[in-house]
Amino acid sequence: MEPIIEFRNYTFKYRSQVEPTLRDINLTIYPGEKVLIVGPSGSGKSTIAHCINGLVPFSFPGEAQGSLTVGGKEPAKEGVFGMSKTVGTVLQDTDGQFIGLTVAEDIAFALENDCVEQEEMFARVDAVAEIVDVKKLLGNAPTELSGGQKQRVSMAGVMVDDVDILLFDEPLANLDPATGKRAISLIDEIQKKKNTTILIIEHRLEDVLYKDVDRIIVIGEGRVAADCRPEELLCGDVLEKQGIREPLYVTALKHAGCALAPETHPEHVETMELAPYAQQVRNWFEKAPLPPKEKKTEPMLEVLDLDFAYITGRPVLRDIRFKIHKGEMISVVGKNGAGKSTLSNLICGFVNPDNGAILLGGKDIAGLSIKERGEKIGLVMQNPNQMISKPMIYDEVALGLRARGVLEEQIKEKVYDTLKICGLYPFRNWPVSALSFGQKKRVTIASILALDPDILILDEPTAGQDYRHYTEIMEFLKELNEKHHITILMITHDMHLMLEYTDRAVVIADGRLLADDTPAKVLTNEEIARQAYLKKTSLYDLALRCGISDASAFAERFIHYEREVRRKCRDY
Amino acid sequence: MSRLLTYAPKDTWIHRLSGVTKLLFFLLWSVVGMLTYDTRVLLVMLLCSLVLYKTSKTEWKQVGTIFKFILLFLALNLFTIFAISPYQGTEVYGTRTDLLHLFWHYTLTKEQLFYEFNIMLKYFTVIPVVLIFIVTTNPSEFAASLNRIGISYRAGYAVAIALRYVPDVQHDFTKIKHAQEARGIEMSSKANLLTRLKNMSTIIFPLIFSSMDRIDVVSNAMELRGFGKNKKRTWYSGKPLQRNDYLSIVFVIVFCVSALVVTFYDGSRFYNPF
Amino acid sequence: MKTKFGIKEVVAIGIGTALFVVLTNVQVPFGIIPNTALQSRVAILTFFAAVFGPVVGGAIGLIGHALGDALFYGGVWWSWVFPDALFGIVVGLFASKYAIREGGFSNGKTIVFFNVVQVIGNALAWIGLAPLLDILIYAEPAAKVFTQGVLAFIGNIIVAGVLGTLLAAAYSKVGAKSSSLTKED
C-alpha cells in the first residue's frame, strides 16, 4: 500500500530559532491508520502537525531538509490552501477555530470559501452535522455551546470537505473527562465509518487509549523516540524517560513490581489479561503503608446553604454547603458549566448570593467589597496572560501592594520575599515576556501571594500543561501548602490533579453539591463519576479485577505511595 | 451589557427582507436624513420611520433604554448648541424674531427654535431606522450583505469576525476586571485622571495582549479552511432578493431622489418659513 | 509602508473592532463638560494602527466607531466615525517606523516620533475633519463643533499618548531579544 504521509530524513528549523525543532524524522503512515503522537511540550510534536497541514513553512517560516509527502503532494509546494482539501485540522483552541456566527455558518466556512452554491451547502452541512450530532444546534451562537459541542462543530467544519486525513491537535485539553471520552469515541466512529486516516496529537495517553489506536509515535527533543504498537510502548520505559504520563493502572502495576508483557494487552484495563499480575498486586496492596489520618484544624472558609441565579427561576447553584479547613488543599470538581466558576465568583464577591452566607475565619464576609475580600482571598485566573498587566516581573508582583498604598520600602521587601518563595528571585529584573508559560503562572501566583491571603483559589491551574509542567506547578503548590501553610482551593476538571494533590474533593453537578469526600472515594464511585461528568479512575477497575474489593482504599494507598516517591524526589 | 441592542427574530415582512435591502435602505435613508434640513421632507420621513417601526413589531423593552439615552444625548446637544451659538438660526434663515430675552447676550429667537426643532427632527427620522435595522437583521447576514453591495468580502468578513468575538471579548473583559479589582485596583474611584488611566491600563493590557495571541490562532484556523483562496466566496446565510426586496429598494431610491430634489429645489438645504 | 491585506489583517480588523466596541463605554469622564471623556477605546485604535498599519487602523476606526455607536447608542454619527478612521490611517502610515513587533519601540526617539504622529493625527481628525463634517453634514454651528473637537482632541491625545505609548512599549518588549538577560542571585 502507498503511504499517505511520509517523512524521509526530515529536518526543520524555525527562522526565529537557532536549533532545529525536528531532526532527521523518518515516519510512514498508511491510509486508514489511526496514529497517536505523544511527546512533552516543546518536543516538536505540534511542528509535525504544522508540517503536514502546510502551516510550516507558510505561516511559520523556516528551513527544511529531507522530504515530506502527504497524499502524494508536497505541503511545502502546495501551501496551506493546497493541503486543505487533503488534511483537516482540528485545533486545540475551539474558541479560536469557531469562526462563524452560528454553528451552521462555521461548518459551511470552508464551502463558502470554495464558492459552493447555497443549496448544496445546506445539504452538505446538514449531512455532516448529523454525523457529529450537532444538527439541533445549527442556529446556535458559540456562546451558547459547551466546550465539547464546539469541538464537534470544529470536526464537522473540516469533515465537510471530505478530507483524507484528520489531524487533531490536543483534542482533550479543554474538555472534562466524560466529554473527552465522548470525543475519543466520536473520532473512532468517524474513522470506522469513513476510513479516514487519523492523527491525534495529545499527551493524555490514558484518555486517548479509551479506544484502540494502531500505533503510537513518541517524539522527544525533535526525534522519533518510539514508533510502535501501544502494547509494546506500555511495557517499555520510553514514556517515563520522555516525561509522558503512563496510564495510572500501568504505573500501579509497575509499582507492584510486575514486568508487563505485550501479550497481556495492557492498552485497556477492562480487557487486559491480569492473571499473571493479580497476586503481585494483592501483595503490594496488603503491604503498602496506609495514608496518615489527617488532623482536623479550625475551618477557614465556610460556605453555608448558598443559592444563586443569574436569571430568577434558573438557579445556577442551590444549597451549596462545605467547609475548608486551615491548611487544607482541596478541589472543586464537576463538568464544565456545572457552576464551579460561579462558586468562586461568589466567594470573591464578583456576584452576590441570593441566599446563604460565606464565612471566612468564622465571620460573614457579605459586607466586604471585592477589594477587601481580595486581601484575604487570592484568586489566580486560568490564563496568566489575562492577569499580567505590567511588563516587568517586579512591578507585576508589586501591583496589588501599590494599589493598597503600601510604602515602597516595604513593597520591595515583600516582593523579594515572595519571589524567593516562588523561585523567581533570579528573574526579578526580567520582563514578563521572557518567561515560559509555567513561569508566568508562577508570577501570577506570586502577585497574589504578595498580598498575604488566607486562602488561594486557583482556576484550572494546570489546563493545557504537559506532564512535566503539570508536575512542576503542582509540586510548587504542594510546597506552598505544606511549608508555608497556605490553604488552597482548586477548581478543576483534571482527575489526576484532584486524586494526586488534594485531600478532599467537593463535587458539584447541575448546581448541587453531589459529594464532599476524599478524591479516591469520589473517583471510585461510578454513580458520582457519571453525574459529575468525571470518569472513574482506572485504579478502580484494576483493583476489582485483581480481586481487591475495597477499590478506594487501593486508590488511596497508590496515591500515598506516589506522593512519597515525589516527596523524596523533591527533598532530594 | 443589557443595554446593547441585539437582533430579535420575529415574523414580519421587514424581518423577512434580505439583509442587503435593509442595509441599502438604512444607508440611503441616513444620507438623506443627514443632507436635508427641509422641514417638510423631514416630517414625511419621520412619519415613514414611525410606520416602519410599528410594522416591525419592535417592542419598547428592546429599545427603551437606548432610546432614553438618545433623548438625553439629544437634549444635551440642543442645549450646547444654544449655549455656544444662540443665533445660529438667525444666521441660517436670515431674519431675527426675538421671543424672549433671557440674560446676558442670550435671547431666544423664533429662528433658533425652528433651527433646533429641525435638528431634533433629523435625529428622529434616522433613529427608528437604525434601531429597526439592528433588531430585525440577523447579524449572520450582515457580512453577506456588505459583500453584495460591492464591498470586498475580506472587509465584510472582518465585520463578521468583530460581531463573532464581541461576546467573547466582553466575557474576557469582565473576568479580567474582576480579577484586577480583587487585587485592589478600583475603577470607580475618585482618584485623579492619571491614576484612573493607569488603573484602566491594568485591564486593557492583558485584554489586548491575550487578543494578539488570538489573532494568530484565528488567522491560522481561517487559512487552514481556505479563507481568501478565491476572488469571490459564497455565503451560507445570505438571503436571495425577492419581490418585496425589489419593491423596497425601488421605493427607497425613488423616495430619496425625490426628497433631495425637493430639498435642493430652491438652492438651499433649509426650508425657510420666515 | 505596508498595505498588504491578507488573512491576518482581516482578523486583526475583526478582533480589534471587537475590542474597540466592547470598550466603547469604558470611559473616564473629565471635567464637567458633557460628551467628553477619556475613551479607553482610543488606546485600542492607536495600538492596532501602530502595529498593523493604516489599512487595519483605518478600518477599525471606521467599523468600530460605526458599530459601537449603532449597538450602544442606536445611531451612527458619521461625522465622528470618519475622523476615527482618519486617525487610524495617519498613525498606521508610519507603522514600519515604530517597528513595534520587531522590538524597535524602546528608544526615546521612536517614542517621541510616535507621539508627534499621534498628536498630528488627532489634530487632523478632531480639529480638522470632525468639525468640518459636522458643519457640512449636520449644519451645526461652527463655534459649537470646534469646541467639541478641541475637547475630543485633548482627551484623545492624553489616551493615545499615555496608554498608547505604554502599550506599544510593553508589546515591543515581547518581540525583543531576551538573550541579554541573566539570572541574578
Side-chain angles (χ1 to χ4, degrees):
Chain A
M1 201 170 18
E2 277 291 298
I4 191 161
I5 299 173
E6 191 168 30
F7 286 85
R8 273 180 180 279
N9 308 324
Y10 190 85
T11 298
F12 178 78
K13 184 179 91 63
Y14 286 106
R15 189 182 290 162
S16 56
Q17 284 177 2
V18 190
E19 294 286 311
T21 300
L22 296 179
R23 294 162 195 265
D24 204 24
I25 299 279
N26 282 295
L27 264 186
T28 316
I29 291 163
Y30 293 97
E33 265 196 301
K34 186 175 171 199
V35 176
L36 169 63
I37 301 179
V38 294
S41 303
S43 63
K45 64 182 193 303
S46 298
T47 307
I48 290 190
H50 294 155
C51 290
I52 294 171
N53 62 28
L55 282 179
V56 159
F58 294 95
S59 286
F60 303 112
E63 295 149 34
Q65 281 147 26
S67 75
L68 165 64
T69 50
V70 176
K73 297 188 268 193
E74 285 181 50
K77 287 198 184 126
E78 295 288 325
V80 180
F81 294 158
M83 297 314 296
S84 68
K85 291 273 156 250
T86 312
V87 186
T89 313
V90 178
L91 301 176
Q92 175 185 349
D93 178 354
T94 46
D95 273 312
Q97 180 149 12
F98 202 120
I99 296 154
L101 282 158
T102 60
V103 170
E105 284 167 88
D106 191 65
I107 297 176
F109 186 73
L111 302 177
E112 292 179 328
N113 295 328
D114 267 334
C115 300
V116 174
E117 286 307 317
Q118 212 175 18
E119 287 301 316
E120 193 190 333
M121 279 200 266
F122 289 150
R124 282 170 72 177
V125 167
D126 274 4
V128 72
E130 187 90 50
I131 298 177
V132 300
D133 193 20
V134 293
K135 200 148 181 211
K136 285 199 187 107
L137 307 169
L138 282 178
N140 284 34
T143 43
E144 299 160 334
L145 304 180
S146 69
Q149 288 168 334
K150 278 184 221 170
Q151 190 183 54
R152 274 182 275 144
V153 174
S154 297
M155 285 191 209
V158 297
M159 283 166 55
V160 78
D161 247 345
D162 253 332
V163 288
D164 306 320
I165 303 166
L166 278 178
L167 194 61
F168 292 90
D169 191 0
E170 308 216 3
L172 301 175
N174 300 312
L175 304 181
D176 55 55
T179 311
K181 210 166 140 180
R182 187 168 170 205
I184 293 297
S185 296
L186 182 60
I187 295 173
D188 197 58
E189 271 168 43
I190 291 168
Q191 194 240 3
K192 295 214 167 98
K193 219 181 278 173
K194 304 194 131 191
N195 204 29
T196 318
T197 310
I198 306 260
L199 254 67
I200 304 171
I201 296 172
E202 189 45 83
H203 54 248
R204 285 160 69 170
L205 185 62
E206 177 169 355
D207 296 332
V208 179
L209 285 181
Y210 168 61
K211 292 282 175 182
D212 283 317
V213 300
D214 296 314
R215 232 171 353 134
I216 300 178
I217 294 163
V218 183
I219 306 290
E221 291 176 7
R223 296 176 194 276
V224 177
D227 178 356
C228 55
R229 302 229 3 118
E231 61 269 26
E232 289 164 27
L233 185 72
L234 292 178
C235 298
D237 60 355
V238 179
L239 290 172
E240 210 186 324
K241 275 189 193 149
Q242 293 298 334
I244 299 157
R245 154 168 299 203
E246 297 167 319
L248 273 189
Y249 62 91
V250 171
T251 314
L253 284 166
K254 288 182 179 172
H255 281 331
C258 307
L260 293 188
E263 305 81 69
T264 54
H265 283 281
E267 312 86 279
H268 307 292
V269 69
E270 296 90 346
T271 53
M272 80 178 283
E273 198 189 319
L274 280 167
Y277 315 122
Q279 190 54 49
Q280 260 174 302
V281 173
R282 279 194 298 270
N283 290 347
W284 178 85
F285 173 65
E286 273 146 31
K287 268 188 273 162
L290 282 170
K293 281 266 173 277
E294 51 175 313
K295 356 179 228 318
K296 276 272 177 254
T297 49
E298 72 265 36
M300 173 69 96
L301 185 85
E302 289 166 86
V303 171
L304 302 175
D305 304 322
L306 221 51
D307 288 337
F308 178 75
Y310 285 103
I311 304 161
T312 326
R314 283 165 65 185
V316 181
L317 291 175
R318 273 181 295 174
D319 289 335
I320 301 292
R321 188 185 185 103
F322 66 92
K323 278 181 195 172
I324 307 169
H325 300 273
K326 203 166 182 320
E328 262 191 316
M329 185 148 158
I330 77 159
S331 49
V332 172
V333 298
K335 72 165 173 173
N336 294 345
K340 291 176 300 187
S341 309
T342 308
L343 184 61
S344 82
N345 286 347
L346 283 163
I347 296 174
C348 295
F350 303 152
V351 289
N352 291 314
D354 300 331
N355 274 310
I358 300 168
L359 310 187
L360 186 74
K363 273 185 244 149
D364 193 340
I365 56 171
L368 299 186
S369 70
I370 296 178
K371 184 178 175 178
E372 286 162 333
R373 290 188 198 198
E375 287 164 19
K376 296 172 177 139
I377 303 165
L379 174 73
V380 180
M381 293 170 84
Q382 176 180 339
N383 180 355
N385 292 329
Q386 289 192 338
M387 216 169 153
I388 295 173
S389 54
K390 294 284 168 193
M392 303 305 292
I393 294 173
Y394 179 92
D395 295 329
E396 181 63 26
V397 179
L399 181 73
L401 296 167
R402 285 190 179 141
R404 286 173 170 75
V406 179
L407 292 175
E408 202 61 33
E409 280 292 288
Q410 291 165 351
I411 291 181
K412 192 167 181 179
E413 196 179 320
K414 187 75 213 169
V415 170
Y416 280 178
D417 282 351
T418 314
L419 286 174
K420 276 175 196 154
I421 292 176
C422 299
L424 291 166
Y425 188 68
F427 310 104
R428 61 192 176 280
N429 294 318
W430 284 29
V432 177
S433 54
L435 301 181
S436 71
F437 188 86
Q439 287 171 322
K440 282 187 189 168
K441 187 101 202 172
R442 279 184 190 227
V443 171
T444 59
I445 296 172
S447 70
I448 296 302
L449 282 180
L451 297 173
D452 274 333
D454 296 330
I455 177 168
L456 206 56
I457 299 180
L458 296 113
D459 190 5
E460 296 290 356
T462 56
Q465 304 285 300
D466 70 6
Y467 187 45
R468 209 185 79 227
H469 291 112
Y470 160 93
T471 312
E472 207 180 286
I473 291 176
M474 290 315 300
E475 286 299 310
F476 166 61
L477 288 172
K478 194 84 210 164
E479 199 180 305
L480 282 182
N481 173 251
E482 283 174 2
K483 289 205 182 127
H484 302 273
H485 311 291
I486 292 170
T487 311
I488 295 179
L489 182 155
M490 285 175 290
I491 295 168
T492 184
H493 54 235
D494 186 330
M495 303 192 332
H496 293 311
L497 188 159
M498 60 183 274
L499 196 56
E500 292 174 344
Y501 288 97
T502 62
D503 315 318
R504 200 148 55 84
V506 172
V507 186
I508 296 180
D510 301 319
R512 284 182 180 279
L513 185 78
L514 192 65
D516 179 354
D517 209 335
T518 64
K521 288 219 176 77
V522 167
L523 288 177
T524 47
N525 183 323
E526 209 148 349
E527 189 49 29
I528 291 176
R530 192 184 57 77
Q531 283 189 49
Y533 275 61
L534 298 165
K535 223 171 63 179
K536 62 183 189 330
T537 167
S538 56
L539 295 173
Y540 171 83
D541 293 283
L542 179 67
L544 290 194
R545 294 198 58 220
C546 287
I548 299 164
S549 54
D550 192 352
S552 74
F554 179 75
E556 258 160 33
R557 282 178 211 188
F558 170 77
I559 295 305
H560 179 64
Y561 183 86
E562 284 263 285
R563 280 185 192 173
E564 289 304 311
V565 170
R566 272 199 311 270
R567 185 174 323 209
K568 272 171 210 146
C569 287
R570 199 168 64 207
D571 294 341
Y572 173 74
Chain B
M1 196 60 32
S2 55
R3 286 198 321 161
L4 212 65
L5 283 175
T6 42
Y7 165 64
K10 277 179 194 157
D11 195 29
T12 73
W13 67 270
I14 295 182
H15 285 80
R16 281 192 298 269
L17 284 179
S18 165
V20 185
T21 314
K22 281 180 272 194
L23 184 66
L24 270 178
F25 195 101
F26 155 71
L27 287 176
L28 290 175
W29 199 261
S30 309
V31 168
V32 176
M34 287 190 297
L35 290 178
T36 186
Y37 253 97
D38 191 312
T39 320
R40 297 160 304 179
V41 173
L42 285 173
L43 282 172
V44 174
M45 285 175 79
L46 176 63
L47 199 71
C48 291
S49 298
L50 291 178
V51 171
L52 285 178
Y53 179 83
K54 200 78 206 154
T55 32
S56 73
K57 291 195 181 151
T58 306
E59 286 157 61
W60 178 247
K61 65 167 196 261
Q62 286 175 268
V63 297
T65 22
I66 295 239
F67 190 74
K68 279 184 218 150
F69 180 83
I70 298 172
L71 280 189
L72 183 77
F73 184 80
L74 173 63
L76 221 61
N77 200 29
L78 292 177
F79 174 80
T80 323
I81 291 178
F82 183 74
I84 296 180
S85 306
Y87 301 108
Q88 183 73 9
T90 307
E91 236 170 79
V92 166
Y93 297 110
T95 53
R96 174 167 174 167
T97 322
D98 287 4
L99 284 177
L100 178 69
H101 178 75
L102 296 172
F103 57 92
W104 194 30
H105 73 271
Y106 287 103
T107 302
L108 196 60
T109 65
K110 241 185 187 166
E111 286 78 5
Q112 185 74 9
L113 269 186
F114 188 64
Y115 166 73
E116 298 210 4
F117 170 69
N118 276 287
I119 291 184
M120 193 180 79
L121 270 186
K122 276 162 83 84
Y123 270 78
F124 285 135
T125 53
V126 178
I127 289 162
V129 179
V130 179
L131 297 181
I132 294 168
F133 178 71
I134 295 174
V135 299
T136 69
T137 311
N138 187 339
S140 298
E141 268 193 75
F142 196 66
S145 307
L146 285 172
N147 188 210
R148 194 76 164 264
I149 63 167
I151 289 165
S152 106
Y153 76 78
R154 288 162 191 271
Y157 216 84
V159 180
I161 293 175
L163 293 170
R164 151 75 181 90
Y165 283 102
V166 163
D168 283 22
V169 172
Q170 184 66 47
H171 179 78
D172 289 350
F173 174 79
T174 313
K175 244 172 53 182
I176 295 171
K177 182 166 169 261
H178 280 156
Q180 301 294 33
E181 277 174 347
R183 290 169 77 184
I185 287 154
E186 278 172 318
M187 297 300 294
S188 50
S189 69
K190 289 186 177 61
N192 66 45
L193 269 188
L194 209 65
T195 316
R196 297 188 63 179
L197 261 189
K198 266 198 196 150
N199 289 350
M200 210 184 243
S201 79
T202 60
I203 298 176
I204 293 179
F205 275 43
L207 191 61
I208 288 196
F209 294 152
S210 51
S211 301
M212 296 301 275
D213 298 340
R214 180 171 273 167
I215 290 175
D216 291 335
V217 176
V218 175
S219 29
N220 282 340
M222 286 172 65
E223 195 173 7
L224 283 171
R225 290 203 274 161
F227 182 82
K229 88 168 125 181
N230 295 315
K231 289 223 153 49
K232 285 192 306 190
R233 85 195 288 277
T234 47
W235 303 89
Y236 181 87
S237 49
K239 249 191 227 166
L241 297 180
Q242 283 166 338
R243 198 197 52 165
N244 275 352
D245 290 293
Y246 291 112
L247 288 177
S248 311
I249 293 172
V250 169
F251 166 79
V252 72
I253 292 176
V254 170
F255 180 88
C256 289
V257 171
S258 5
L260 290 180
V261 168
V262 171
T263 305
F264 290 103
Y265 189 69
D266 56 357
S268 157
R269 60 204 286 207
F270 296 94
Y271 169 71
N272 192 342
F274 301 103
Chain C
M1 195 179 93
K2 211 168 64 179
T3 49
K4 201 183 91 182
F5 194 49
I7 298 180
K8 195 147 242 168
E9 281 68 25
V10 171
V11 179
I13 294 172
I15 305 256
T17 303
L19 285 163
F20 190 93
V21 169
V22 166
L23 291 179
T24 291
N25 65 352
V26 180
Q27 320 179 325
V28 180
F30 68 95
I32 39 159
I33 308 114
N35 295 332
T36 52
L38 297 182
Q39 303 182 9
S40 60
R41 64 183 192 177
V42 171
I44 304 280
L45 177 59
T46 316
F47 177 77
F48 272 77
V51 171
F52 291 100
V55 177
V56 174
I60 293 176
L62 182 78
I63 307 172
H65 196 129
L67 214 57
D69 268 8
L71 294 177
F72 280 94
Y73 309 135
V76 181
W77 277 266
W78 295 103
S79 54
W80 285 53
V81 169
F82 290 108
D84 253 336
L86 175 71
F87 173 72
I89 293 170
V90 172
V91 171
L93 278 178
F94 304 95
S96 57
K97 289 252 169 35
Y98 323 132
I100 292 171
R101 264 185 296 193
E102 292 76 32
F105 198 87
S106 50
N107 59 58
K109 231 162 110 188
T110 320
I111 292 174
V112 170
F113 174 70
F114 164 79
N115 275 290
V116 170
V117 173
Q118 69 92 353
V119 172
I120 294 175
N122 271 317
L124 287 174
W126 303 109
I127 309 183
L129 188 61
L132 192 73
L133 289 177
D134 267 336
I135 294 169
L136 286 178
I137 298 178
Y138 297 108
E140 294 215 345
K144 179 230 168 195
V145 294
F146 275 105
T147 315
Q148 279 182 328
V150 168
L151 289 170
F153 168 74
I154 296 172
N156 287 4
I157 57 170
I158 295 176
V159 177
V162 178
L163 289 186
T165 308
L166 287 175
L167 269 170
Y171 192 63
S172 206
K173 288 207 182 93
V174 179
K177 301 262 176 298
S178 51
S179 54
S180 57
L181 296 167
T182 46
K183 292 188 194 179
E184 301 161 65
D185 293 324

